[in-house]
Amino acid sequence: MADGPHTVFIEAGKVRPELFDAHIERRLSSMKGQYLDQEAYRRMLEEEDRLLYEVYELRRPEKEGELLSGISIVHPGKVGEEYFMTKGHFHEVLDTAEIYWCLSGRGVMVMETPEGEWSVKDLSPGTVLYVPPRWAHRSVNTGSGENLVTFFVYPAHAGHDYGTIESKGFRKLMVDRGAGAEVIDNPRWRG
Ligand code: PA5
Ligand code: NI
């Protein structure tokens, strides 16, 4: 963890892991129950516990006033018709926002509030996305074979509430039914 004013050089599309403090890997097995086509999920997992996405973090104390930042890399692929995606979460401190800056690849951020509003925003290189306080967020790689790489920054005391999404799911899903990426209602969403 760097102390005092410091810089990190992040070149679009070229992540240098040695610059970061932590590396988190999320595999298919950690997404149980999240993909719509559970049979496709089961078959894929039987073959290999694929690496779906990775996060490189710059550590700071998790207290108010600090910021946490890093790089998220969602690999390309699909489970059935549904694109590889992050678990997604609300912040534990619901009233905290986040900024994402897309460095490379193509994708979307799927978002929703506890009150039922939802939004899906395109991510392409140069896009800066503001996720307002109270909005759960999940990044989805809808590109054709490239990693979706984003830089994120959020208040260090925000925390992650994964449980709500794990049990309810997101209201909207991103699928490819032959005509490219489309948003569909999640038939398994539980309010
Ligand atoms: O804080 C964020 O929103 C990001 O750093 C995410 O944690 C990252 O994209 C991985 O997604 P998730 O935390 O939902 O697994
Ligand atoms: Ni977040």
Side-chain angles (χ1 to χ4, degrees):
M1 178 166 56
D3 261 321
H6 56 275
T7 62
V8 181
F9 187 69
I10 297 170
E11 208 177 342
K14 287 186 203 159
V15 177
R16 288 170 53 199
E18 70 277 11
L19 298 178
F20 295 86
D21 302 312
H23 180 209
I24 298 147
E25 291 187 337
R26 290 249 214 261
R27 294 184 178 274
L28 194 59
S29 55
S30 67
M31 298 292 281
K32 195 169 184 298
Q34 295 300 300
Y35 283 99
L36 183 56
D37 187 341
Q38 298 195 67
E39 184 49 31
Y41 175 85
R42 196 191 56 74
R43 270 186 273 117
M44 202 167 182
L45 193 56
E46 240 170 47
E47 246 171 58
E48 192 193 338
D49 192 6
R50 292 269 298 272
L51 181 61
L52 302 187
Y53 65 99
E54 303 173 69
V55 179
Y56 289 98
E57 279 180 348
L58 297 168
R59 284 266 156 84
R60 292 299 305 158
E62 293 183 10
K63 61 180 195 199
E64 217 167 332
E66 291 279 356
L67 295 171
L68 290 180
S69 63
I71 296 284
S72 154
I73 304 171
V74 184
H75 296 295
K78 280 179 216 142
V79 177
E81 298 175 331
E82 204 176 349
Y83 295 97
F84 283 2
M85 60 193 183
T86 61
K87 279 167 107 61
H89 56 266
F90 286 96
H91 288 161
E92 222 170 297
V93 180
L94 198 55
D95 253 329
T96 52
E98 183 155 350
I99 281 183
Y100 279 83
W101 177 31
C102 181
L103 297 169
S104 63
R106 289 279 184 286
V108 298
M109 190 71 76
V110 177
M111 294 166 280
E112 67 181 49
T113 65
E115 289 74 32
E117 295 159 280
W118 65 273
S119 173
V120 174
K121 291 284 180 223
D122 287 332
L123 296 172
S124 62
T127 305
V128 175
L129 167 69
Y130 181 72
V131 181
R134 306 181 64 80
W135 286 77
H137 40 286
R138 158 182 283 166
S139 20
V140 185
N141 185 338
T142 57
S144 39
E146 264 186 292
N147 287 333
L148 171 67
V149 185
T150 52
F151 174 80
F152 61 82
V153 57
Y154 63 97
H157 69 296
H160 293 86
D161 161 18
Y162 290 107
T164 306
I165 296 298
E166 270 166 9
S167 59
K168 289 171 131 179
F170 272 85
R171 288 174 160 84
K172 301 289 171 184
L173 302 175
M174 294 303 301
V175 297
D176 176 9
R177 291 183 164 161
E182 57 176 302
V183 184
I184 60 160
D185 288 334
N186 179 1
R188 294 172 59 233
W189 183 79
R190 278 176 280 159

